Amino acid sequence: IEIKPASTANTTFNANSKEIEMETKAWPANASGYELIAPIGQGAQGLIWKAYCRDPKFTNYNKECAIKMMNLKLFQDGNM
């Protein structure tokens, strides 16, 4: 499974009267950062699951999301 992060953002905040800029990542890029809950749909290319971000290093920690699991066999024969 390959998960592509939706976006990254630059966040600026004030800590002890000093401006600090840091890059924050919204979503984990690998499957271990998610908990799959239940299948919620199926499309032509794969199954869609309800999931939660379970990696506390990301800004969307504990937020609900959808994960699409692609059927890679569809892409092996050159039809897609």
Side-chain angles (χ1 to χ4, degrees), residues 14-71:
N14 189 316
N16 298 325
S17 300
K18 294 181 182 176
E19 292 294 321
I20 299 172
E21 187 174 328
M22 59 183 269
E23 184 177 328
T24 57
K25 293 184 179 180
W27 300 100
N30 58 43
S32 65
Y34 299 90
E35 176 186 358
L36 298 179
I37 305 301
I40 57 173
Q42 185 168 354
Q45 299 174 354
L47 187 64
I48 296 114
W49 285 77
K50 174 182 176 180
Y52 284 91
C53 177
R54 294 300 191 211
D55 191 331
K57 296 180 292 214
F58 293 86
T59 58
N60 287 313
Y61 175 61
N62 276 338
K63 291 200 177 168
E64 186 178 85
C65 62
I67 301 290
K68 184 173 188 177
M69 292 188 175
M70 304 290 287
N71 182 351

